[in-house]
Amino acid sequence: MEEPEFRIGMQFANKDELKESIREYAIVQGRNIKLVKNDNKRIQAKCAGHTKCPFILWASKIDRDKQTFAIKSLSLEHECTRVDKLKYTNSRWLSKRFADKIRKNLDWDVGAFKAEVLEKYHMNVSKHQIYRAKNLSKVIIEGSYVEQYARLWDYVEKLKKANKGSTMIIKNKMKGCRPLIGIDGCHLKGPYTGQVLTAVGIDGNNGLYPVAYAVVEVESKSTWIWFLQLLIEDLQIKNGKAWVFMSDKQKGLIPVIETLLPTAEHRMCVRHLYSNFRTEHAGLAMKNILWVAARATTIPWYEAEMAR
Ligand SMILES: [Zn+2]
């Protein structure tokens, strides 16, 4: 399908394949090609660039019962000039044509991508189209990986039936729980005022373990940024995705963690949530339900407790 070279007698498996080849031809040639006839028996394509442009492609079904189309008449000359923008070079086409490159480099720079389209096809596409093409590809690539991994067990069962006597093993590598850090600030008492910012974990004896603390004038967005940047550096946190942070609902802290560790999980401390919750929903029964919901490890379990 890439850089099609049309000839008389050339066959296409079906109409869609022929139309796709014409689109691809139009892009490679930099010409606006319109379909003046487009039904289930024939396709006639003409150049829209110039009223007198002699380009023409005529194809029709070779057999009434089959889907195959063949080129019956053809004139490949153009008297028009190339254009560098076509409706065919949309994000769908970009994601398809550059699928391999996007797959190998999901962070492919938008400018570099745009430059490559210009160099290879002499076509100008917008940055917006590039963004959309990359997102389209990501959805397809990640979706297909997820689907394939989810079917590994089915695959092994099939292999066991098809290749009797062979050994198939799936070994799951569970890397345990994600490290969890609780962060909070509190006021200092005594003659020297200020606030303490803390980061704590839980040790093997289920006791609180102070990871880091700092004394600051006031708890604010900028002091949290300073504190957390030091913490990230000191703990050598490279992949935020592996970490979970827990705090109360202090306004400044949520955007700070979002900025410094955009992939980390950030959850609210239930004890803090409860202190607000109990003013509206008093009683031990409600307290217990809240904690059971907080501890739920599956979505249906969580939803059932929340409904209660
Ligand atoms: Zn032309």
Side-chain angles (χ1 to χ4, degrees):
M1 214 71 92
E2 273 185 65
E3 301 191 24
E5 285 176 33
F6 294 129
R7 290 184 309 277
I8 287 183
M10 200 172 193
Q11 294 189 354
F12 298 85
N14 51 51
K15 196 172 91 171
D16 286 342
E17 199 181 293
L18 170 60
K19 280 168 76 177
E20 204 178 317
S21 292
I22 294 170
R23 267 201 299 273
E24 194 66 23
Y25 167 87
I27 293 166
V28 171
Q29 296 292 322
R31 258 80 178 197
N32 250 312
I33 306 293
K34 61 178 178 191
L35 300 181
V36 288
K37 272 208 171 59
N38 176 13
D39 58 40
N40 284 329
K41 287 179 194 148
R42 62 234 153 118
I43 293 261
Q44 191 182 358
K46 277 188 170 174
C47 182
H50 195 295
T51 42
K52 285 176 192 155
C53 192
F55 172 87
I56 194 168
L57 183 150
W58 167 266
S60 59
K61 236 185 203 178
I62 55 168
D63 188 325
R64 203 188 291 170
D65 302 326
K66 288 193 182 114
Q67 297 301 311
T68 312
F69 273 72
I71 296 177
K72 298 284 167 62
S73 117
L74 188 66
S75 164
L76 286 172
E77 271 162 68
H78 282 279
E79 278 174 13
C80 63
T81 47
R82 279 193 73 101
V83 292
D84 71 346
K85 277 196 183 97
L86 286 173
K87 62 175 179 179
Y88 307 120
T89 55
N90 52 21
S91 48
R92 214 168 60 89
W93 175 80
L94 287 167
S95 81
K96 205 172 168 186
R97 186 52 71 233
F98 293 91
D100 281 348
K101 272 204 108 149
I102 300 170
R103 188 192 304 274
K104 281 174 198 151
N105 183 11
L106 283 175
D107 300 319
W108 195 9
D109 178 66
V110 172
F113 193 158
K114 193 168 148 49
E116 180 146 341
V117 180
L118 186 63
E119 195 195 291
K120 219 175 161 187
Y121 290 95
H122 312 288
M123 283 291 153
N124 262 312
V125 289
S126 69
K127 288 195 169 178
H128 181 69
Q129 287 176 314
I130 302 257
Y131 277 122
R132 284 204 50 195
K134 283 177 68 177
N135 283 337
L136 271 172
S137 297
K138 267 185 200 169
V139 169
I140 294 164
I141 292 163
E142 282 165 11
S144 73
Y145 274 110
V146 170
E147 276 167 28
Q148 286 173 47
Y149 268 88
R151 299 213 57 192
L152 271 180
W153 276 265
D154 293 343
Y155 178 59
V156 162
E157 285 312 305
K158 265 273 186 279
L159 282 179
K160 279 180 183 167
K161 277 185 193 145
N163 300 348
K164 286 219 162 71
S166 301
T167 306
M168 268 71 65
I169 294 166
I170 292 185
K171 187 181 170 196
N172 260 359
K173 206 169 188 177
M174 298 290 283
K175 288 195 173 148
C177 305
R178 282 187 287 195
L180 191 151
I181 288 185
I183 44 181
D184 203 357
C186 69
H187 286 276
L188 281 175
K189 285 177 183 149
Y192 299 103
T193 55
Q195 280 175 286
V196 185
L197 308 182
T198 55
V200 300
I202 289 177
D203 67 16
N205 291 324
N206 216 22
L208 284 179
Y209 182 81
V211 180
Y213 66 91
V215 177
V216 293
E217 280 174 21
V218 67
E219 190 186 349
S220 70
K221 198 177 164 188
S222 64
T223 50
W224 272 120
I225 289 175
W226 169 77
F227 178 73
L228 287 170
Q229 272 174 337
L230 279 172
L231 185 74
I232 290 165
E233 211 177 300
D234 197 64
L235 295 178
Q236 297 177 4
I237 299 177
K238 298 233 163 61
N239 174 16
K241 227 176 186 167
W243 292 77
V244 181
F245 287 86
M246 182 173 74
S247 69
D248 65 5
K249 271 189 139 173
Q250 303 170 73
K251 276 182 195 130
L253 212 43
I254 295 168
V256 166
I257 289 179
E258 261 172 15
T259 309
L260 294 178
L261 293 161
T263 54
E265 294 283 351
H266 186 185
R267 291 289 181 273
M268 302 308 138
C269 165
V270 183
R271 259 186 67 109
H272 283 96
L273 279 182
Y274 175 65
S275 61
N276 292 327
F277 177 84
R278 73 171 165 193
T279 60
E280 263 190 70
H281 309 280
L284 189 61
M286 291 303 276
K287 183 184 179 183
N288 290 342
I289 290 168
L290 173 70
W291 276 100
V292 174
R295 291 194 177 105
T297 52
T298 66
I299 292 167
W301 181 9
Y302 170 78
E303 279 170 351
E305 292 303 332
M306 288 303 281
R308 283 179 65 201

